[in-house]
Amino acid sequence: MRILIVEDEPRLAKLLCRAMEEARHSADCVHDGRAGLERARTGEYDLLILDWLLPGLDGLSLCRTLREEPGSAGAVPILMLTARDAVSDRVAGLDAGADDYLTKPFSLEELGARVRALERRIVRPLRQAEEAHEMEAGGLRFDPELRTVRRPGSGEEVRLTVREAAVLECFLRHPGQVLSRGQILRQAWDDPQVVGEQTVDSVVYLLRRKLEPLEPGFSIRSVRGLGYRLDPGGRE
Ligand code: CA
């Protein structure tokens, strides 16, 4: 993959760059937010590794701004690096459009695992592109390749992050079933041992907020003590 690293700490930046190159990726590194945004806007990258606290433009604003861009620049998977680990910070990061986050300090093994997981999420849909078709979610249509959900006939459409799409897919593959947080983690994350079950709650929260306004009957219900169940809405 072609990876852009936006990290202002020179030693860490160098370390990340070397680790990515050892994993046979090509990596470019910039040290402030504005330069990062400029580079990312070229749409030439397969993945962004983005620090939260940056001079010029912080990672959260960069992420949000980039998500407004059309085409491949706006859709690029983003792994956010952060020293913050409160649930609200995590939600803020995912909400700004990050696909995953890693809390500092982290090991290079952990970073490698997250990058591989995101790669699988990107490469797999591309390989399946020929046979890719929309999945039905009650009154909504989900395109796993483009990661978009639309309401037929209305022109309304939202784009999901890699993680949101993986969680939605998980529900759609098990219609009517209650899924535990553990089951969702195992199916939607390739390395479930490094993320907590609260992450599932955060992603479900974001999915609800994006999809419920599109289709009034759509909801992801909490089933107390068990997990979640998708009620797709739409016509019976
Ligand atoms: Ca920093």
Side-chain angles (χ1 to χ4, degrees), residues 7-9 51 53-54 104:
E7 166 62 64
D8 58 319
E9 234 174 281
D51 189 26
L53 294 174
L54 289 166
K104 290 179 175 180

Side-chain angles (χ1 to χ4, degrees), residues 192-213:
Q193 66 279 11
V194 295
V195 289
E197 294 195 342
Q198 295 139 311
T199 312
V200 173
D201 298 332
S202 305
V203 175
V204 165
Y205 165 80
L206 294 166
L207 263 180
R208 279 174 171 156
R209 229 181 40 188
K210 280 188 181 173
L211 301 183
E212 286 177 359

Side-chain angles (χ1 to χ4, degrees), residues 114-152:
R114 296 299 181 90
V115 168
R116 282 194 300 278
L118 284 170
E119 186 178 13
R120 277 194 292 271
R121 294 264 159 226
I122 304 155
V123 172
R124 191 194 57 164
L126 286 179
R127 283 197 191 127
Q128 290 177 341
E130 273 175 35
E131 65 208 72
H133 52 84
E134 291 188 325
M135 296 175 86
E136 205 182 315
L140 302 175
R141 298 286 180 280
F142 168 55
D143 184 326
E145 189 199 347
L146 298 173
R147 301 198 308 268
T148 53
V149 178
R150 64 186 181 88
R151 186 172 181 198

